[in-house]
Amino acid sequence: MAKSPTHYLCQSCGYQTVGWMGRCPDCGEWASLLEERATNERDRGRRIVTSSASHCATPITAVDSGALNRVSTGLAELDRVLGGGIVPGSFVLLSGDPGIGKSTLLLQASMQIAQKDGVVLYVSGEESLQQTRSRASRLGPLSDRLLLLPETSLQMILEQTDRIRPTILVIDSIQTITSEDLESPPGSFSQVREAAVGLMALAKEKGISTVIIGHITKEGAIAGPKAMEHLVDTVVFMEGEGHQIHRLLRTVKNRFGPTPEVGVFEMTASGLQELANPSEVFLAQRPSGAPGSVVIPTLEGSRPLLVELQALVAAPSAPISRRVFNGVESNRGILLLAVLEKRLGLPLSACDVYVNVVGGIRVGETAADLGIAAAVLSSARNLPLDPGLCVFGEIGLAGEIRAVPMAERRLEEAARLGLSCCLMPRHNLDRRQPDFPSLRVSGLRTLEELTERLKIRQAVGSHD
Ligand code: TYD
Ligand code: MG
């Protein structure tokens, strides 16, 4: 077997060079280039991909779409994020911080699938058989069709998978898998890529759906998920604040699903419980009559979610005033404070401003702008907002309120949860007048109109 020439691979970003360098010229990392001595790439590829069917061209109409054969994970929120279940032969990456609940989620899904649909092979390179079993016994009934394999060798895993031919293969985690062909340490860029390519070839060839766990570090920099994202069909990201019990699953990429989706779970003593009605939970502990609190209907993928947004405007605690944004992007927050100061003459630069989205939720869309403005105004004036009020809209630099997508869905959720009034962009109303009898809707064009609305409420008191 011919030996391929030696090359050096940056373990942080994947940059390749034929000569060693002390610092990666691409990502700037020091001492990250490691020699990669592998057997011939072509031979490795051939050993992994042996199918002959894939060498023939096929009419597109003759290809089985697989859409009808999705395997349900038994967890509706996970199915939603995957676009309706696991597509046979698909390759899914679940990433997130260590300790967030990835193993718990996949063990729960594996147990459900083993109960109903078929054999699941759960490969754990991190936990012993006993540890996995003791965790599983708290999560639900056990089934013979869930097979555990504590293994880290890629070759052994491929061999066992090929022999067992499970419906679903779970790898926990990609960072622990080592190929005997490579000398780089587990978790390095080369090892992760090698394991991903090997597992994917098997998944595609034998139609085995594979779900892989990949940790990310606090810097989000570890080779794992980044080295794999372009290879896999679906990337699902699990997030949540460490001290919060809510966990959000987000689709970052999905070749089998129409839109970015979100699933919401609660971590309990018996595993992750689905939250079919998250808005209710996020609003459950809202203080009544507190200035600075407002409800915003935000969209997570195509799903409307009502969350509480709070602002606190306070006298500065240090010579330089502070801005803290939790759950909203800080650059956006700073921009909005500047617009409020300039357009409404609020003396915010002389105050500390804190903005927080309750429940550990992160709101990434500009439709939250008007909610932030309303909460800041409410706190600055020490004026509680109507408890039945919700607010959404984008704010431009001139203080204009701009239209946002899917206004109807936000209003629908607000009406469903029993809110009584909504301030929203006038432009959205001009396009289409919503029809929710229990919800009074007012359209705004400028920030001045927002202050007018809030002043009226101060004068007449809270309505309803
Ligand atoms: P885990 O799934 O091991 O995280 P990951 O695989 O992402 O590293 O989850 C670990 C945390 O979840 C741990 O802090 C304990 C908690 N947990 C529960 O609260 N309830 C449970 O039923 C289980 C299994 C875990
Ligand atoms: Mg784990």
Side-chain angles (χ1 to χ4, degrees):
M1 196 189 298
K3 209 158 163 58
S4 62
T6 295
H7 60 268
Y8 295 84
L9 189 73
C10 172
Q11 300 302 317
S12 155
C13 72
Y15 177 82
Q16 264 190 42
T17 168
V18 288
W20 189 82
M21 280 181 268
R23 187 179 192 188
C24 172
D26 204 24
C27 70
E29 192 72 29
W30 288 96
S32 63
L33 289 158
L34 282 190
E35 186 179 1
E36 197 175 52
R37 231 183 284 133
T39 47
N40 191 300
E41 288 268 348
R42 267 179 43 214
D43 286 345
R44 255 165 51 212
R46 204 169 284 159
R47 206 170 62 221
I48 291 164
V49 184
T50 51
S51 161
S52 55
S54 59
H55 296 307
C56 311
T58 314
I60 191 164
T61 46
V63 179
D64 176 15
S65 73
L68 300 174
N69 311 326
R70 287 177 188 257
V71 175
S72 165
T73 61
L75 303 168
E77 294 289 294
L78 179 56
D79 285 350
R80 162 204 286 276
V81 171
L82 294 171
I86 301 180
V87 175
S90 67
F91 205 64
V92 179
L93 170 67
L94 171 65
S95 77
D97 292 336
I100 196 85
K102 301 181 293 299
S103 304
T104 309
L105 179 72
L106 289 190
L107 194 55
Q108 277 178 255
S110 301
M111 291 164 70
Q112 297 267 2
I113 295 167
Q115 291 283 348
K116 297 184 282 104
D117 292 294
V119 174
V120 180
L121 178 58
Y122 191 102
V123 178
S124 179
E126 298 194 344
E127 286 167 17
S128 67
L129 288 173
Q130 288 75 19
Q131 277 173 316
T132 310
R133 177 173 176 151
S134 86
R135 181 196 295 238
S137 49
R138 283 193 288 125
L139 301 175
L142 303 179
S143 156
D144 284 346
R145 290 196 291 188
L146 173 56
L147 306 177
L148 302 180
L149 178 67
E151 183 59 71
T152 57
S153 155
L154 175 65
Q155 283 72 18
M156 291 300 291
I157 295 168
L158 292 176
E159 204 180 298
Q160 289 287 318
T161 309
D162 199 16
R163 191 176 63 77
I164 296 167
R165 299 280 173 94
T167 313
I168 310 278
L169 168 68
V170 178
I171 304 286
D172 186 1
S173 65
I174 191 79
Q175 273 96 357
T176 59
I177 310 299
T178 326
S179 165
E180 290 152 18
D181 289 338
L182 298 177
E183 289 172 359
S184 335
S188 64
F189 193 93
S190 343
Q191 288 287 7
V192 166
R193 191 191 50 186
E194 179 79 359
V197 169
L199 289 164
M200 186 153 84
L202 190 71
K204 297 289 170 204
E205 192 186 324
K206 305 281 160 57
I208 300 168
S209 314
T210 307
V211 187
I212 290 188
I213 289 178
H215 297 295
I216 51 160
T217 57
K218 280 285 167 243
E219 305 82 53
I222 194 94
K226 286 288 161 214
M228 288 175 62
E229 270 178 19
H230 64 285
L231 285 176
V232 302
D233 297 315
T234 305
V235 181
V236 176
F237 193 76
M238 193 173 199
E239 63 183 27
E241 297 291 319
H243 56 280
Q244 296 281 355
I245 56 171
H246 301 120
R247 300 284 183 270
L248 255 67
L249 276 185
R250 264 178 221 281
T251 332
V252 181
K253 158 184 178 179
N254 196 358
R255 287 184 184 146
F256 301 117
T259 43
E261 274 300 349
V262 69
V264 190
F265 292 89
E266 205 171 69
M267 182 60 99
T268 69
S270 53
L272 289 155
Q273 304 291 330
E274 304 167 59
L275 277 186
N277 227 334
S279 296
E280 268 171 29
V281 178
F282 291 134
L283 297 185
Q285 297 174 42
R286 244 192 116 199
S288 59
S293 160
V294 69
V295 175
I296 56 168
T298 177
L299 276 182
E300 290 287 350
S302 61
R303 177 185 217 173
L305 207 60
L306 293 186
V307 291
E308 181 190 352
L309 189 140
Q310 297 182 332
L312 182 69
V313 178
S317 52
I320 300 174
S321 54
R322 299 192 66 193
R323 269 98 183 80
V324 178
F325 298 98
N326 217 342
V328 294
E329 214 229 318
S330 45
N331 280 340
R332 190 75 200 166
I334 288 165
L335 182 147
L336 289 172
L337 296 186
V339 174
L340 287 176
E341 176 140 25
K342 176 88 179 169
R343 301 291 160 204
L344 301 179
L346 282 183
L348 293 174
S349 51
C351 300
D352 286 351
V353 181
Y354 305 88
V355 175
N356 182 41
V357 182
V358 177
I361 304 292
R362 275 197 290 122
V363 180
E365 52 162 10
T366 50
D369 290 357
L370 201 59
I372 297 173
V376 167
L377 271 167
S378 159
S379 177
R381 293 181 176 167
N382 212 23
L383 150 75
L385 299 175
D386 187 326
L389 173 73
C390 67
V391 177
F392 67 88
E394 179 179 326
I395 298 178
L397 291 184
E400 79 279 20
I401 316 291
R402 309 176 72 99
V404 300
M406 295 199 250
E408 196 91 352
R409 300 196 73 158
R410 300 173 201 265
L411 292 171
E412 196 181 5
E413 179 75 354
R416 196 178 69 79
L417 270 271
L419 294 184
S420 53
C421 49
C422 179
L423 298 177
M424 61 179 281
R426 177 80 229 166
H427 294 292
N428 279 109
L429 288 181
D430 289 346
R431 281 184 207 161
R432 187 165 173 187
Q433 202 65 32
D435 183 23
F436 299 104
S438 61
L439 193 67
R440 270 194 294 119
V441 174
S442 309
L444 308 179
R445 288 186 202 282
T446 62
L447 272 180
E448 285 77 12
E449 289 181 25
L450 175 70
T451 59
E452 284 303 312
R453 288 279 163 182
L454 301 178
K455 255 189 227 153
I456 290 166
R457 295 227 146 64
Q458 185 182 34
V460 298
S462 172
H463 81 288
D464 290 344

